[in-house]
Amino acid sequence: MSGIAVDPIVLQVVEGTLASVEAEVEAAIERTSRSPMIREARDFRAGLHDRRCRKLTGRSYSALVQPVVRDFPLESMAPGDVFFHNDVYGSEGGIGHLPDLCVSVPVFDDGAVVAFVQAFGHHDDIGGAVPGSMPSHATSAYQEGLIVPPVRIYRAGAPNEDLIKVMVRNSRLPDSLRGDLDSEVAACRMGAERLGDLFRRYGRAQVEACFDAILDRTTRTFERELLAKIPDGTYVWEDYAEHDGVDPPRLHTQRMALTKREGRLVIDFAGTSAQAKGPINHAGDYADGVFLKKWLAPILRNLADSPERMAELDVNEGVVPLIELRFPPPGTLLTPVFPAPTNARTFVILRLLGILAGVIAKAVGGRMPADQETIRYTGFHGVDGAGQFYLMREVLGGGSGGRHYADGSDTIHVVPDSKNLPVEFTETRFPLLVERLALATDSGGAGFRRGGLGYLKELRPLRDSAFLCVADRSILSCWGLRGGKAGAPFRVTVDPGGPGERVLPGLVDDEPIPAGTLVRIETTGGGGWGDPLEREPEMVALDVLEGKVSARAAREDYGVILTEDAEGEARVDDAATRALRAERRAARGPQPFFDRGPGYRQLAGADHASVDFLDGAQTG
């Protein structure tokens, strides 16, 4: 703490200003950017940091300022400077793959750097072996696109046109890249001006004291309200990526040992598999893992007393002192050695969220959500009717896991406010027809509280095209918890029901799709929570009425027998349902704490891992 007395009114003004500046920066980027991934899908984030590189805002995750300050000391910066980087290995863990371009603008007060405004997002193309700069079969970072370490892209307000020319030249969509850069620079400059006003109004000492107070409050809140609910002890769990695009599918293990003691968490990743040949690695072992600490911390909010309280809790730099990360030696999925490829690193960092949820679930008797997998990239590229190259790519979400108090949500995205591409935009901008967009029936894992549903989306290219996909959970499923069942995996079917029907793997670079061929995409459903035989029969009947659960699944998964009334609506046959459920309970054995679905047996040769049981016990 600074030792300066904090005026409580000023504290509220500072906190509100930080939130509004972050939102204003993001709104400006959304309005003025060029690429669909930024403007329509909103796969980008803004972040505000103090001069000590601490993240002040907490609405979502962001990249890091540390690599900029490492290479450009504060005293070397001048008003009008803008910094840029996308170097995964040179980003201190803040950038996961090369399409994530990061702009940082320092904020000045009385000639000194006092804060930073930063934006980073997933851009259309930064070069590399395939359109979109995410080659699913890459074996080297050099195949993934242009690598830019922290550089000064604007000096005292003047753009480095030579550098920008090199970057734009390496992109297959140069106009989009240049437009996005201009948008992000302008938005961050605007945000820097807003923050500068705050310092000029209240003085550096008072504003920085407010920064300290905001972060300290987060530390104390997480410690008192969340960590206190985890019993002291050590808990172990693991989960897996299923393929890396190069080797045949197998279990790429990510293991976590969580130790709670003295109000702090120690997370040890020992036992994590060796780095993959393909691009599923994540360079997380930099700056003491400060990015991963902030990435993982939102999972802790599930321990809040209520969903309303959970929504109130920000994740900023205040969570960092509460978590210690212990990494294995170099050469693992989390400690890859350059130039190991990383463009599909979501297979690792998304899985880590679920592993932390799972390991905490073991500690707290299952009062955590079941699993979800809510990022995968799909799309088409080719040449349109005007002879121009096009790239349509979107990030389709999936169902979230069931919770002890509610079903999972349908078709969500882990990036806040992100969304799929609107049908009207897709059909206007690209030579594609979107023939169907719906919820995928039966995709959510069965449970006392059902998993959320994934998308069912069908597209038909009007010209010969190529399909691309970067997706996990095409074999393994999102796991169910405490008796809940796993959700349905990801699936892409070309020409469904036709003579050329085939199912594609989760990692695809340039799958030829002739004009007029239908492509069906079904995204993952969330895992179920709790015994599905305990779900209220009336809720199962409502699920069937709404098309979320089929009548077959109602019987097979939930033990609910439905009949039709005179109006043709489904009604529960109470006596038959009670009898069937009693028969099912008597016939089944003890249930594991986690259910991984049938794909796990395909890869592991067993139904469950040794860590899937609660202290050696099973749930009945």
Side-chain angles (χ1 to χ4, degrees):
M1 296 292 288
S2 63
I4 301 296
V6 175
D7 184 317
I9 302 302
V10 175
L11 177 60
Q12 289 192 11
V13 172
V14 169
E15 189 171 28
T17 300
L18 293 174
S20 65
V21 168
E22 180 185 62
E24 192 173 358
V25 170
E26 291 192 358
I29 292 172
E30 182 179 18
R31 288 196 304 268
T32 61
S33 57
R34 292 286 300 275
S35 64
M37 286 288 284
I38 302 294
R39 188 181 65 244
E40 272 75 31
R42 292 196 93 258
D43 192 1
F44 70 95
R45 295 272 68 82
L48 309 183
H49 309 255
D50 70 3
R51 61 182 173 85
R52 296 161 58 186
C53 303
R54 300 180 302 175
K55 184 175 183 287
L56 301 170
T57 46
R59 194 175 64 85
S60 68
Y61 65 93
S62 64
L64 304 177
V65 179
Q66 281 88 337
V68 175
V69 174
R70 177 198 65 211
D71 293 356
F72 297 90
L74 298 183
E75 58 272 16
S76 71
M77 298 179 182
D81 284 356
V82 180
F83 300 91
F84 173 91
H85 69 284
N86 77 328
D87 185 342
V88 171
Y89 290 87
S91 70
E92 305 289 349
I95 296 295
H97 56 186
L98 295 180
D100 283 349
L101 309 184
C102 185
V103 169
S104 304
V105 173
V107 180
F108 287 84
D109 180 63
D110 197 22
V113 175
V114 291
F116 291 89
V117 179
Q118 188 178 76
F120 88 110
H122 190 134
H123 294 252
D124 276 340
D125 188 274
I126 192 70
V130 301
S133 308
M134 294 183 66
S136 62
H137 300 91
T139 56
S140 168
Y142 294 113
Q143 298 170 319
E144 297 180 304
L146 182 67
I147 303 171
V148 183
V151 294
R152 202 183 323 247
I153 198 168
Y154 281 72
R155 182 185 295 272
N160 184 338
E161 293 290 358
D162 291 339
L163 173 61
I164 294 173
K165 186 182 297 184
V166 170
M167 292 169 54
V168 170
R169 178 60 172 165
N170 274 270
S171 176
R172 295 172 177 85
L173 296 160
D175 292 340
S176 287
L177 180 60
R178 181 60 196 262
D180 288 345
L181 282 175
D182 290 344
S183 168
E184 289 160 353
V185 169
C188 287
R189 282 175 164 167
M190 177 270 295
E193 184 63 26
R194 300 286 190 271
L195 278 189
D197 288 342
L198 197 63
F199 282 88
R200 288 187 288 273
R201 186 183 311 164
Y202 296 109
R204 176 173 173 179
Q206 181 64 217
V207 172
E208 291 190 337
C210 291
F211 290 171
D212 289 340
I214 291 169
L215 301 185
D216 182 63
R217 184 180 61 198
T218 296
T219 303
R220 289 184 285 106
T221 299
F222 269 67
E223 186 175 22
R224 181 180 65 252
E225 296 188 27
L226 307 181
L227 297 193
K229 295 182 179 179
I230 303 175
D232 285 358
T234 298
Y235 312 91
V236 180
W237 202 57
E238 66 186 33
D239 206 354
Y240 319 93
E242 63 196 22
H243 54 163
D244 72 344
V246 177
D247 286 332
R250 63 179 176 85
L251 297 180
H252 297 265
T253 303
Q254 297 170 63
R255 190 174 180 90
M256 182 182 292
L258 174 73
T259 299
K260 160 70 185 315
R261 65 187 180 205
E262 299 177 353
R264 301 293 185 271
L265 299 180
V266 178
I267 298 175
D268 193 328
F269 297 109
T272 294
S273 290
Q275 70 183 48
K277 293 179 184 177
I280 67 172
N281 308 289
H282 175 67
D285 57 328
Y286 291 85
D288 296 321
V290 67
F291 174 82
L292 280 180
K293 291 179 183 180
K294 289 178 283 189
W295 171 261
L296 292 170
I299 292 296
L300 299 171
R301 297 186 300 184
N302 289 286
L303 295 169
D305 288 338
S306 68
E308 293 77 17
R309 180 55 178 158
M310 175 184 173
E312 295 171 351
L313 299 178
D314 282 346
V315 176
N316 54 37
E317 205 77 17
V319 304
V320 170
L322 298 173
I323 303 172
E324 176 187 345
L325 301 183
R326 296 179 179 174
F327 292 95
T332 70
L333 291 172
L334 274 175
T335 60
V337 177
F338 182 79
T342 63
N343 73 76
R345 93 295 187 205
T346 51
F347 293 18
V348 169
I349 61 172
L350 286 184
R351 198 67 69 253
L352 289 178
L353 295 174
I355 298 171
L356 180 58
V359 79
I360 293 176
K362 296 181 77 170
V364 300
R367 291 179 68 86
M368 292 290 286
D371 192 32
Q372 65 182 40
E373 172 70 23
T374 59
I375 287 182
R376 76 272 309 143
Y377 304 88
T378 61
F380 295 82
H381 63 85
V383 177
D384 63 21
Q388 298 297 310
F389 171 78
Y390 79 90
L391 170 64
M392 176 284 217
R393 182 175 52 174
E394 61 183 329
V395 186
L396 285 175
S400 70
R403 299 152 286 184
H404 65 90
Y405 57 88
D407 292 343
S409 299
D410 303 325
T411 58
I412 66 165
H413 195 306
V414 73
V415 178
D417 300 327
S418 292
K419 53 194 176 184
N420 63 24
L421 293 183
V423 171
E424 297 82 0
F425 171 83
T426 300
E427 295 186 342
T428 301
R429 179 77 176 267
F430 307 111
L432 298 166
L433 288 179
V434 180
E435 298 207 347
R436 190 179 180 193
L437 180 60
L439 298 178
T441 302
D442 290 338
S443 57
F448 172 64
R449 293 295 170 249
R450 177 181 43 74
L453 274 58
Y455 282 103
L456 190 158
K457 190 166 190 175
E458 294 181 339
L459 300 101
R460 193 184 302 272
L462 301 178
R463 300 176 62 84
D464 290 350
S465 302
F467 180 77
L468 58 85
C469 180
V470 177
D472 203 14
R473 296 297 202 202
S474 62
I475 301 173
L476 301 174
S477 298
C478 296
W479 43 264
L481 178 61
R482 203 176 177 183
K485 302 304 179 183
F490 175 79
R491 185 182 180 95
V492 175
T493 308
V494 178
D495 193 26
E501 178 175 335
R502 63 191 187 278
V503 175
L504 301 182
L507 283 165
V508 175
D509 279 336
D510 293 294
E511 180 72 17
I513 306 294
T517 304
L518 190 69
V519 177
R520 176 182 296 159
I521 302 167
E522 298 167 274
T523 70
T524 52
W529 192 97
D531 187 351
L533 297 183
E534 298 296 326
R535 186 169 177 83
E536 301 88 338
E538 294 75 17
M539 293 187 67
V540 177
L542 179 60
D543 286 338
V544 173
L545 177 65
E546 294 179 341
K548 294 185 174 183
V549 172
S550 66
R552 176 197 57 79
R555 179 187 182 98
E556 294 182 3
D557 297 337
Y558 292 95
V560 173
I561 305 297
L562 300 175
T563 59
E564 286 189 3
D565 61 15
E567 286 74 34
E569 293 189 5
R571 292 286 185 266
V572 176
D573 185 327
D574 291 326
T577 293
R578 285 194 299 270
L580 179 58
R581 285 184 162 185
E583 178 186 333
R584 294 277 177 84
R585 290 188 185 99
R588 71 185 183 186
Q591 301 296 296
F593 200 60
F594 300 91
D595 177 65
R596 297 185 185 271
Y600 181 76
R601 170 167 284 280
Q602 177 182 336
L603 295 182
D607 289 330
H608 307 288
S610 61
V611 294
D612 288 349
F613 301 93
L614 189 59
D615 295 329
Q618 298 172 322
T619 59

